[in-house]
Amino acid sequence: MLSHHQIAAATRIGMLTRERDTASACAQALRELARALPLDAATLLTIDPPTGSHVQVAGIGYPAEVSQALAGEFVATPWYRNVVRRELPPSISQDAEDTGPRFRNGWFYAERVRPAGFRDGVTGALRQHGRLVGLVHLSTERANAYDTDARRLLASVMPALAALADPVAHAADLHALADGAASLVTADGCVVDLPARERPRVLREDGEFRPLLDAFAGTGGRRLRLLWPAGGGWQRVVLHRHPAGPGLAPDAVLVHETPTELPYGLSPRELEVLTRAATGQTNQAIAQALFLSPRTVHSHVEHLLRKTGCASRAEATALAVRDGLLRPGPDHLPYFVEG
């Protein structure tokens, strides 16, 4: 039966999921586990979305390079497959419950675990909304330390540990996303789906959007607001720089999309003209870029000024930048990305 002390530690770990400083929260979670369970070493690992490799986010007694190297070897063992399929995390001392290969008889225990002085260990697979996001592993020099009660305690805090280890678990809160809005994170060319969020149409249906996204990732800017056609209509799209961290590359970008109508009754062509005018292009330059006559561009400018209620191109430019009334190409981003 769990003690009051252990239950209190589990509660404190659950409360850590509210912290914005994830790195500190992960380290504190392992310290709380050390108060509740026997351990001489522990590691909390996230799965790097682009590569699938395990990256340590916190450790006690395990240097990051050692923990990550061991994880790379461990995932190739039958024991790892046993860990992934079990809801109750298995331990070295309890592997007699399993019908598969005995961990104590395997090369990983003989060559990695026992020479390090550990006699027992327990490993749990961390999941968020059905996604495998990481691992937690505890090791101790004591034999038979992780009985069923100890493993149940670890299982009870694994959802909180998964939320801490998942690099995109707090993306919606961090960027104040509206409920149900289509969103995802891209990192190093890899798409990372967010829990309970659809993928934005601009990435599912329009191959022309990807170069713009890649260009934004390369600017180092903080935010870009724009309008983009997709799904038979228009989408309000916001690109946010997502904080880098363990398991997420420095160029990570959150893509957020909501359906909209073109503001002020602007036509798609008027939006293009307004975007180019906001970069400082003359009517002649806009005409050449869009294969239009200067007279046609002049007419578009007059129409968009009337629709927006602006008295000049300069005022319309300020409005476009302020409200994200833009349909930019990759070469326009230096004018519009917020630093």
Side-chain angles (χ1 to χ4, degrees):
M1 179 177 294
L2 298 181
S3 68
H4 178 270
H5 176 73
Q6 290 174 317
I7 294 172
T11 301
R12 288 192 294 269
I13 291 172
M15 294 177 64
L16 288 170
T17 59
R18 304 175 184 176
E19 298 293 328
R20 289 295 182 91
D21 186 348
T22 304
S24 296
C26 288
Q28 182 62 33
L30 289 190
R31 289 193 290 270
E32 294 292 346
L33 276 178
R35 295 187 180 102
L37 292 172
L39 66 85
D40 296 297
T43 182
L44 182 61
L45 301 125
T46 187
I47 296 177
D48 176 51
T51 65
S53 60
H54 288 79
V55 179
Q56 180 170 287
V57 294
I60 296 175
Y62 278 119
E65 61 275 12
V66 172
S67 176
Q68 291 160 191
L70 288 173
E73 291 184 310
F74 181 66
V75 297
T77 66
W79 182 250
Y80 173 71
R81 293 189 288 276
N82 185 37
V83 166
V84 170
R85 68 180 175 84
R86 294 282 295 276
E87 292 187 10
L88 188 65
S91 69
I92 294 173
S93 61
Q94 299 289 319
D95 69 355
E97 299 176 6
D98 301 313
T99 59
R102 296 289 184 264
F103 185 65
R104 288 181 183 274
N105 298 335
W107 69 268
F108 194 84
Y109 179 78
E111 298 180 18
R112 298 290 184 268
V113 178
R114 190 173 181 83
F118 299 127
R119 295 298 177 267
D120 203 359
V122 59
T123 306
L126 304 179
R127 289 182 172 83
Q128 271 275 86
H129 300 279
R131 297 163 45 237
L132 185 64
V133 298
L135 291 173
V136 59
H137 180 75
L138 315 181
S139 300
T140 179
E141 297 174 3
R142 291 172 48 188
N144 303 313
Y146 299 117
D147 57 16
T148 300
D149 284 343
R151 295 157 64 206
R152 285 175 176 165
L153 174 60
L154 181 59
S156 73
V157 300
M158 280 167 49
L161 296 177
L164 292 172
D166 184 359
V168 298
H170 301 290
D173 294 335
L174 184 63
H175 300 290
L177 302 186
D179 291 342
S183 310
L184 58 71
V185 171
T186 66
D188 211 14
C190 176
V191 170
V192 185
D193 291 313
L194 299 185
R197 300 273 176 169
E198 290 186 0
R199 289 191 178 189
R201 288 177 177 271
V202 293
L203 282 171
R204 285 189 285 134
E205 302 176 6
D206 190 345
E208 293 185 10
F209 188 79
R210 172 59 76 169
L212 180 73
L213 176 59
D214 293 341
F216 173 78
T219 65
R222 179 177 59 88
R223 188 174 70 158
L224 174 65
R225 294 173 299 155
L226 61 124
L227 296 160
W228 201 269
W234 283 85
Q235 307 293 329
R236 164 62 70 186
V237 181
V238 185
L239 306 182
H240 297 270
R241 177 73 50 183
H242 192 70
L248 210 55
D251 65 347
V253 175
L254 182 135
V255 184
H256 175 224
E257 169 196 280
T258 52
T260 190
E261 300 290 335
L262 285 183
Y264 302 102
L266 294 173
S267 71
R269 182 62 84 184
E270 288 164 352
L271 180 64
E272 286 185 293
V273 170
L274 178 57
T275 300
R276 291 181 177 275
T279 69
Q281 291 184 17
T282 64
N283 284 4
Q284 182 68 38
I286 295 171
Q288 290 178 349
L290 299 180
F291 302 101
L292 301 172
S293 70
R295 179 181 293 275
T296 300
V297 172
H298 179 76
S299 296
H300 284 316
V301 171
E302 286 189 334
H303 293 161
L304 69 88
L305 289 177
R306 184 175 67 252
K307 290 178 178 180
T308 59
C310 294
S312 65
R313 287 168 64 108
E315 188 178 343
T317 292
L319 176 69
V321 174
R322 185 192 71 201
D323 293 351
L325 307 182
L326 306 164
R327 206 297 202 175
D331 55 329
H332 302 148
L333 296 194
Y335 297 95
F336 305 132
V337 171
E338 300 174 29

